[in-house]
Amino acid sequence: MQVQDVCRQWFARHERARDALPAVLVVVVAAAASAAADGGSGWHTPRAGATAWTALACLPLVVRSRWPLPVVLATLAVDLTHLARVPDFSLSPAASLVALYTLATRTTRRTAWTAGLAASLAITALYAVSRSVSPLAGESLLRFDLAIAATALGDAVRSRRLRLARVEARAENAERTREAEARRRVTDERIRIARELHDVVAHHMTLVNAQAGVAHHLMRTDPDRAYQALAHIKDNSRTALDELRATVGLLRQPDDAPDSRVPLPGLADLDALIGSLQAGGLPVRFERTGLVRPVAPATDLTAYRIIQEALTNTHKHARAAEALVALDYGADTLRVTVTDDGRPGAPKGPGTGHGLIGMRERANAIGGTVTTGPRPEGGFRVHAELPLALAPGNHPKPLAPKGP
């Protein structure tokens, strides 16, 4: 196998040598055939004329890969002339057979079979005329069959090469597509994890900061309220750690030891969310309209995160006296609206804008929309429209398992 591979590689690099190899073999066989004595009684000196005709017919084969059709015409012309002049030499169409095979492997099927049939008829007819036999005689049909067989063999080789090329192309395309899909999934997962971390850190750390300020301010004047603020800090920090643990759990390998993973929050946890904000100094009203019914898990998490981010922004950036959270259950859509009455003036702190971007990304991922902007009467408004049930193409990969 190693010798074959070396030879194959060498001929692949030397096209002229590869093309000339069949010509050399045909000339050698023709010389040996011309040296065979009639009647099988012995050998004699090869007939130079017959060998020269064969060599002349094989000469165009040196460029058969580059110009297959002209080579067929050239070899056929020499072979037919040879048949007419030396009708008793049986190897005269051999060069044409090699040329027909090459043509079938290098051109279209229509071209190959047109040339093959024409060459078969010409060789058969001339052989029958030169030998004074019927075109339907066995020897005449043998020449016809040989030309057809050379064309068929070349066509089969060409078809096999095309199939292999298509298979390789599909494999390469599948590999590229798989790599691109893997990169896309990694990017999407990175964005989702970044969004989760932003929501958790922004919300809970904002509350911890506000409650720490309250505790610091009241530590000497009102120790009881300062103690309550410290208790809220403890609760919020524990909740933040639990949510961070659930988010970081995405990075675990399947064979890692199971650890505590809390369920991701949803609309059922709004009371706790609103209570934590109220404890941090932001009054929040909650309204629910429409027929309340279960929603898709992705919608449940998305709605919670949008409300959480909107209220966190209100508490952190707005000079608001109150915020309103409204849920409206429609026929197919859950409408989430968060508004505040923020008064004009400098915001409490600068923002990066990542929270608003994260809201839109979350909603778009499940086929929803989010609009944000200031209210004409003052304050800020966040409005989201989310599907109650997700379409088949809008089921994102879950961010963490539901349950421990």
Side-chain angles (χ1 to χ4, degrees), residues 271-312:
D271 291 340
L273 173 66
I274 292 174
S276 65
L277 285 159
Q278 289 176 335
L282 175 65
V284 180
R285 289 191 299 117
F286 179 49
E287 297 179 356
R288 185 185 284 115
T289 57
L291 178 61
V292 179
R293 54 191 182 279
V295 300
T299 300
D300 193 38
L301 174 62
T302 299
Y304 178 89
R305 290 302 191 199
I306 289 174
I307 295 171
Q308 181 187 52
E309 179 63 24
L311 292 177
T312 300

Side-chain angles (χ1 to χ4, degrees), residues 22-327:
V24 173
L25 294 178
V26 170
V27 171
V28 171
V29 173
S34 67
D38 294 336
S41 59
W43 295 83
H44 57 72
T45 303
R47 289 179 286 183
T51 304
W53 275 107
T54 303
L56 182 62
C58 290
L59 186 60
L61 295 179
V62 177
V63 292
R64 61 191 177 94
S65 295
R66 180 171 298 183
W67 297 300
L69 185 57
V71 168
V72 168
L73 298 177
T75 56
L76 187 61
V78 176
D79 276 338
L80 291 178
T81 304
H82 190 194
L83 272 174
R85 291 178 61 88
V86 190
D88 61 337
F89 188 61
S90 59
L91 287 180
S92 56
S96 296
L97 300 183
V98 176
L100 288 173
Y101 166 82
T102 304
L103 179 68
T105 62
R106 298 281 176 171
T107 60
T108 63
R109 177 169 293 172
R110 180 177 181 179
T111 301
W113 280 106
T114 300
L117 288 173
S120 301
L121 293 174
I123 293 172
T124 303
L126 186 58
Y127 182 86
V129 171
S130 63
R131 288 292 187 96
S132 299
V133 297
S134 171
L136 299 180
E139 293 183 359
S140 300
L141 292 179
L142 177 61
R143 269 69 185 173
F144 181 88
D145 293 341
L146 288 175
I148 292 297
T151 303
L153 180 60
D155 184 59
V157 171
R158 180 189 59 83
S159 299
R160 180 175 179 274
R161 289 174 180 173
L162 288 177
R163 284 196 298 271
L164 290 177
R166 285 194 292 266
V167 170
E168 291 177 358
R170 285 197 296 267
E172 292 176 359
N173 182 66
E175 186 65 25
R176 289 193 299 268
T177 303
R178 184 161 50 249
E179 292 177 357
E181 179 66 14
R183 288 194 298 268
R184 186 190 66 80
R185 290 185 178 182
V186 169
T187 301
D188 290 347
E189 192 65 18
R190 178 183 59 80
I191 293 174
R192 281 196 291 267
I193 293 175
R195 236 176 5 232
E196 284 294 313
L197 292 176
H198 172 274
D199 291 346
V200 171
V201 173
H203 172 70
H204 292 289
M205 293 303 102
T206 296
L207 293 180
V208 167
N209 180 69
Q211 291 159 353
V214 171
H216 180 268
H217 179 71
L218 299 176
M219 185 61 68
R220 295 180 179 177
T221 60
D222 194 343
D224 291 338
R225 290 185 59 190
Y227 179 81
Q228 293 177 359
L230 291 174
H232 288 307
I233 291 175
K234 178 182 178 181
D235 293 338
N236 278 290
S237 60
R238 183 176 62 250
T239 302
L241 288 174
D242 290 340
E243 293 194 23
L244 284 172
R245 185 181 296 111
T247 303
V248 174
L250 295 170
L251 306 177
R252 294 191 179 100
Q253 298 297 324
D255 56 350
D256 287 345
D259 200 352
S260 59
R261 301 185 184 183
V262 297
L264 288 177
L267 295 177
D269 302 298
L270 282 182
D271 291 340
L273 173 66
I274 292 174
S276 65
L277 285 159
Q278 289 176 335
L282 175 65
V284 180
R285 289 191 299 117
F286 179 49
E287 297 179 356
R288 185 185 284 115
T289 57
L291 178 61
V292 179
R293 54 191 182 279
V295 300
T299 300
D300 193 38
L301 174 62
T302 299
Y304 178 89
R305 290 302 191 199
I306 289 174
I307 295 171
Q308 181 187 52
E309 179 63 24
L311 292 177
T312 300
N313 288 343
T314 296
H315 188 274
K316 185 176 181 180
H317 304 299
R319 304 169 63 87
E322 185 182 57
L324 170 65
V325 176
L327 295 181

